[in-house]
Amino acid sequence: MSEILQNQTLEAEHLFCFRGKVTNQELEEVGRDMDMVIREAGAKRVSFPITATYGMDNGKMDVELLLPVDRRMDDVKEYRYKEQLKIVNAVVARHNGNPGYLPQTCSELNQYITDKELTPITVGYSVPKKADAFDIENSIIDVYVGISSNIL
């Protein structure tokens, strides 16, 4: 069982972003291309990538990839700059271990939202906190879902 917390906030600034429908392999290629564009602009990545998956369509993910950078950047090709991402009143599930089991953590988070009768207003944003290239079992990923504070 994952640790789940309520009333959390996700904040990030200076984000170089891609949104599109891609396969896993295409997403890796997009990430490499974005890294090249960032370097060519004289900027640097300052943290792990944030991802949000909006759905699946014919074997492709409708995904947003957000790369935190150290400065403002111009839009280049299909990539856009976002000054800030801020999600307040979020529930967060912490995933410890192999990222391959992240879908199980997301299922637990969705069940928690259903059981508590919460109303999500965003998709899940996956935010890696720790990545170990030598031992993926040491990974930590937080998944944030914005929740409506309205009482209806």
Side-chain angles (χ1 to χ4, degrees):
M1 182 67 149
S2 304
E3 175 186 9
I4 299 177
L5 300 172
Q6 288 190 10
N7 302 314
Q8 302 299 300
T9 300
L10 170 61
E11 288 187 86
E13 58 185 20
H14 300 300
L15 301 162
F16 198 51
C17 308
F18 167 82
R19 169 86 188 262
K21 293 182 180 176
V22 293
T23 63
N24 276 328
Q25 181 179 346
E26 290 168 335
L27 185 61
E28 289 178 20
E29 292 168 11
V30 165
R32 284 192 295 273
D33 188 52
M34 290 176 75
D35 278 335
M36 184 183 69
V37 170
I38 290 166
R39 281 192 307 276
E40 287 174 354
K44 295 178 185 167
R45 276 191 32 200
V46 295
S47 185
F48 297 115
I50 299 168
T51 58
T53 303
Y54 293 85
M56 295 290 289
D57 186 24
N58 294 324
K60 292 192 172 196
M61 301 176 294
D62 181 0
V63 67
E64 185 174 23
L65 177 62
L66 304 101
L67 303 181
V69 294
D70 64 347
R71 66 181 72 165
R72 181 171 182 70
M73 292 184 59
D74 292 329
D75 295 348
V76 178
K77 301 188 222 181
E78 67 267 36
Y79 312 130
R80 302 290 167 254
Y81 174 81
K82 281 188 184 181
E83 187 70 36
Q84 182 179 35
L85 169 69
K86 184 174 184 178
I87 301 173
V88 297
N89 196 38
V91 288
V92 179
R94 172 150 287 182
H95 175 82
N96 289 291
N98 188 323
Y101 296 108
L102 184 60
Q104 180 179 340
T105 299
C106 292
S107 292
E108 291 174 11
L109 179 57
N110 287 333
Q111 188 62 53
Y112 179 90
I113 290 169
T114 299
D115 291 348
K116 298 289 185 181
E117 298 180 353
L118 303 173
T119 305
I121 56 174
T122 71
V123 297
Y125 283 78
S126 298
V127 182
K129 298 295 183 178
K130 180 182 176 188
D132 186 335
F134 300 106
D135 185 2
I136 60 174
E137 298 299 328
N138 285 330
S139 298
I140 299 174
I141 302 169
D142 288 346
V143 180
Y144 291 77
V145 174
I147 301 296
S148 174
S149 59
N150 296 322
I151 300 172
L152 305 173

